[in-house]
Amino acid sequence: MIEPLPQLVGMVHLLPLPGAPRFTGSIDAVIATAAADARILVDAGFPALMVENFGDAPFYADSVPPETIATMTRAVHEVAGLGVPVGVNVLRNDALAALVIATATGSRFIRVNVLTGLMYTDQGPIVGKAAELQRARATLAPDVEIWADVMVKHATPPPGTDISQAAVDTVERGLADAVIVSGPGTGTALDVEEALLVRQAVAPRTRIVAGSGVDSGNIDQVLSAVDSIIVGSSIKVGQSPDNRPDPLRVKEFVEVAAERGLL
């Protein structure tokens, strides 16, 4: 039987990959930095990690090019070698690429920004492709979990969208294994009242995950509404997702999370 995924997930934000505007020309540097950042988190006690092509802005709305998939596969494989469960998020919304990478590397879960419905984003309208993704998962990797955002950050829902119904649709029609709630942007705190609405709609059968803006100061408030936490910005140098992990901040957050029973 497969062990349940941990409640605490640390982010590994990749440097710009080949083909991205800010790529510096060294794939080896991308891989080495990912491995070093992941090692800092694992050594401090993080029980799970997620790898994301955060440095690739501006992002493709949907399918990413093959060089992105190839480099991410190499990076995820390196991170997975540390022995903790790993997730994959291919920005902005290439869920099929994330699934393929997870399949090739033995990763345990993927994050999908828009699984069902429509969101207006800085990449334009993004439409969920749950039908294609779930059929591919059934064929390639049935045990890979799909963690899907509801009202994803850096996006606006169509007028009249109800967050509770969106959560129900994500779970019952999109077949998400967990739903993620976040603030309006990277590193910004979620609205606890909105998270509670999501919780009332789909818990306890579905895990609720905080996807942005959690730090050691607001963790208690956040945990009143969610089961699990993905953390990135608040454990970086200067609390910026563009920077490397700050070992002191990482250690402090792990200690706080352990006190709250997340480890």
Side-chain angles (χ1 to χ4, degrees), residues 127-235:
V127 178
K129 296 183 177 180
E132 293 92 332
L133 178 62
Q134 292 293 2
R135 283 162 175 78
R137 177 171 73 158
T139 301
L140 296 174
D143 293 329
V144 171
E145 289 193 8
I146 295 172
W147 292 17
D149 284 87
V150 176
M151 307 292 199
V152 68
K153 57 191 173 183
H154 298 289
T156 302
T161 302
D162 177 78
I163 192 169
S164 297
Q165 186 61 52
V168 170
D169 288 344
T170 299
V171 173
E172 295 185 356
R173 298 170 71 84
L175 306 185
D177 300 291
V179 295
I180 301 172
V181 288
S182 61
T186 301
T188 58
L190 57 84
D191 184 323
V192 172
E193 293 302 319
E194 287 190 350
L196 286 170
L197 290 175
V198 171
R199 186 174 195 84
Q200 291 166 6
V202 299
R205 66 188 186 280
T206 305
R207 180 190 298 226
I208 314 299
V209 184
S212 74
V214 184
D215 57 37
S216 56
N218 68 7
I219 189 170
D220 289 323
Q221 184 182 20
V222 171
L223 285 174
S224 69
V226 307
D227 308 300
S228 304
I229 290 172
I230 300 170
V231 62
S233 299
S234 71
I235 56 174

Side-chain angles (χ1 to χ4, degrees), residues 32-46:
T33 301
D37 289 356
R39 173 61 70 183
I40 291 171
L41 301 183
V42 171
D43 285 351
F46 269 88

